[in-house]
Amino acid sequence: MAMMECVTERRAGAILDGFSLPLDTLIEADCITAMRALPDASIDMIFADPPYNLQLGGDLFRPEGGLVDAVDDDWDKFDTFATYDRFTRAWLGEARRILKPDGAIWVIGSYHNIFRVGAAMQDGGFWILNDIVWRKSNPMPNFRGTRFTNAHETLIWASRTSSSRYTFNYRTMKSLNDELQMRSDWMLPICGGAERLKAAGRKAHPTQKPEALLYRILLACTRPGDVVLDPFFGTGTTGAVARRLGRRWIGIEREPRYCAVAIERIAAALPLDESSLTIMQSGREQPKVAFGTLIETGMLAPGTVLTDARRRWKAKIRIDGALEASGQSGSIHKLGALLQGAPSCNGWTFWHYETETGLKPIDTVRQTYLLATQP
């Protein structure tokens, strides 16, 4: 895949004059202006994380007196709802124009804006397929104690029209979820730790989305080589995940400080090898954790080789959370049973990964995840 670059709006226009999309490129410009320079029906999927228009009324402090690093940037401020609605209709109109006939769009938001965005999408001709609730396993508390803790955000998944033959990798999603149908409520942690990008000791971006979220979306609704556009690119989560998954991307971001962080981040995102990119096409006391969640959150990487405790079999983790060994594939439980010729298998204790101190069952990774994400 070609290396990425950051170009100005004028440079992007020059590229388009040559009849080629600015692939793997971050365009530093206003999103509406930049999208107007893109040709009709040229994008496979759009992921949009627009301003939420939070309407914050002053600073927010923690109980001990510390200032909460909230979203108070100018790009999130709109004078009235009418102003915000005009902005929403304008960028959605360009988004629909540049989507391919069978293209789709994902938009994420909070209660502040998602209902207005959803209405504008329907008014503009999009066909809503699902609303997804991203349940945050570690949400920020409500410091004032005046409302319920905001523990989720809403995503709207829509096709360009009601007749679009949109991409949905159903089998992949089922594999990622331990052979169960993927539901419309997704439990994933917010950005934290090493994934949370910093600049001058503070968050590089106040609403940075976790890579696990984009991993699931791109894996569900795109194919390798598809072109994904993010018109509110921020610090480049979409670009970083797209590069890992073998998708092409175009980012648009008007804030120079975010562009600089995004380019550095994406350059460090190493693409996965082709065997890991292969996805499946064929046919109670503890909180449940799907094996695919450990892949999405980076706790186990696609391409990692697992083995049983006696090292009789080796299996490679695929991008969708399935394992592949000896020409067979399946979930951690199914493949373990197949290899042993057994009716069932507890994959969590059967499969192990290599550490400096020897083999450990993958269940230890699950327990680490639970400790890190449960309140």
Side-chain angles (χ1 to χ4, degrees):
M1 182 175 294
M3 289 299 292
M4 72 295 303
E5 62 175 326
C6 181
V7 301
T8 62
E9 179 185 326
R10 177 176 296 180
R11 170 65 178 145
I15 293 174
L16 291 172
D17 288 341
F19 302 102
S20 63
L21 283 172
L23 297 176
D24 307 318
T25 298
L26 171 51
I27 303 169
E28 187 179 319
D30 169 76
C31 69
I32 297 171
T33 304
M35 281 194 286
R36 283 174 180 157
L38 297 175
D40 295 352
S42 58
I43 304 297
D44 294 292
M45 196 198 85
I46 294 173
F47 174 81
D49 184 7
Y52 286 8
N53 192 24
L54 293 180
Q55 312 135 56
L56 294 179
D59 292 333
L60 179 60
F61 294 91
R62 302 175 189 271
E64 77 282 1
L67 180 65
V68 176
D69 189 8
V71 184
D72 56 2
D73 303 82
D74 288 341
W75 51 258
D76 193 60
K77 296 175 182 176
F78 295 82
D79 294 335
T80 63
F81 285 131
T83 302
Y84 185 80
D85 292 345
R86 284 193 295 273
F87 165 74
T88 300
R89 288 192 294 268
W91 75 259
L92 280 174
E94 290 302 320
R96 191 165 184 272
R97 179 186 62 79
I98 62 179
L99 274 176
K100 293 178 180 179
D102 293 332
I105 183 172
W106 287 73
V107 185
I108 187 170
S110 69
Y111 69 88
H112 303 86
N113 73 322
I114 197 64
F115 304 109
R116 309 187 78 85
V117 173
M121 292 175 72
Q122 290 182 313
D123 290 344
F126 288 103
W127 186 257
I128 294 179
L129 301 167
N130 272 119
D131 65 322
I132 305 294
V133 176
W134 166 31
R135 296 175 57 209
K136 303 174 182 179
S137 55
N138 52 343
M140 181 182 294
N142 184 275
F143 293 106
R144 290 174 177 164
T146 56
R147 305 183 187 182
F148 296 110
T149 296
N150 293 324
H152 77 277
E153 292 185 32
T154 301
L155 298 105
I156 296 175
W157 173 36
S159 57
R160 189 182 182 279
T161 68
S162 60
S163 59
S164 295
R165 298 172 62 87
Y166 56 90
T167 296
F168 178 50
N169 299 316
Y170 167 80
R171 189 67 187 83
T172 302
M173 288 295 97
K174 191 173 180 181
S175 177
L176 197 66
N177 198 39
D178 286 353
E179 297 303 321
L180 297 173
Q181 282 191 348
M182 184 71 77
R183 292 162 42 124
S184 62
D185 55 335
W186 298 353
M187 176 75 83
L188 295 168
I190 62 174
C191 254
E195 187 182 355
R196 170 61 76 175
L197 302 176
K198 299 290 182 66
R202 297 188 61 186
K203 295 177 184 176
H205 195 291
T207 64
Q208 180 185 337
K209 296 301 181 289
E211 291 192 7
L213 184 68
L214 271 298
Y215 186 106
R216 186 173 297 186
I217 291 170
L218 294 188
L219 203 57
C221 298
T222 63
R223 301 183 179 94
D226 279 358
V227 179
V228 180
L229 171 76
D230 186 335
F232 306 96
F233 203 59
T235 52
T237 303
T238 301
V241 176
R243 187 166 192 240
R244 287 198 179 101
L245 296 182
R247 277 64 169 164
R248 311 305 296 268
W249 59 272
I250 300 171
I252 303 171
E253 176 55 53
R254 74 180 192 184
E255 301 289 333
R257 67 186 188 277
Y258 298 153
C259 292
V261 174
I263 287 298
E264 182 178 352
R265 174 191 190 179
I266 298 168
L270 298 178
L272 298 172
D273 65 81
E274 275 198 33
S275 60
S276 296
L277 284 169
T278 304
I279 59 175
M280 298 183 70
Q281 299 296 334
S282 62
R284 247 352 94 194
E285 291 294 318
Q286 298 184 70
K288 178 174 173 57
V289 178
F291 181 67
T293 299
L294 306 183
I295 312 305
E296 291 174 319
T297 54
M299 299 190 74
L300 285 171
T304 299
V305 175
L306 304 180
T307 183
D308 64 293
R310 294 163 56 188
R311 301 183 187 275
R312 294 169 294 174
W313 296 287
K314 291 183 178 181
K316 180 179 285 189
I317 299 176
R318 297 204 313 205
I319 199 172
D320 59 357
L323 302 186
E324 190 170 70
S326 304
Q328 302 183 88
S329 63
S331 70
I332 57 173
H333 313 295
K334 180 181 178 181
L335 186 60
L338 283 172
L339 293 174
Q340 298 177 89
S344 63
C345 171
N346 182 348
W348 292 110
T349 55
F350 178 76
W351 292 109
H352 292 63
Y353 67 103
E354 196 74 54
T355 72
E356 293 181 356
T357 57
L359 291 177
K360 287 187 178 181
I362 57 175
D363 191 51
T364 61
V365 183
R366 175 172 65 163
Q367 298 305 321
T368 300
Y369 174 85
L370 287 170
L371 287 172
T373 58
Q374 296 305 308

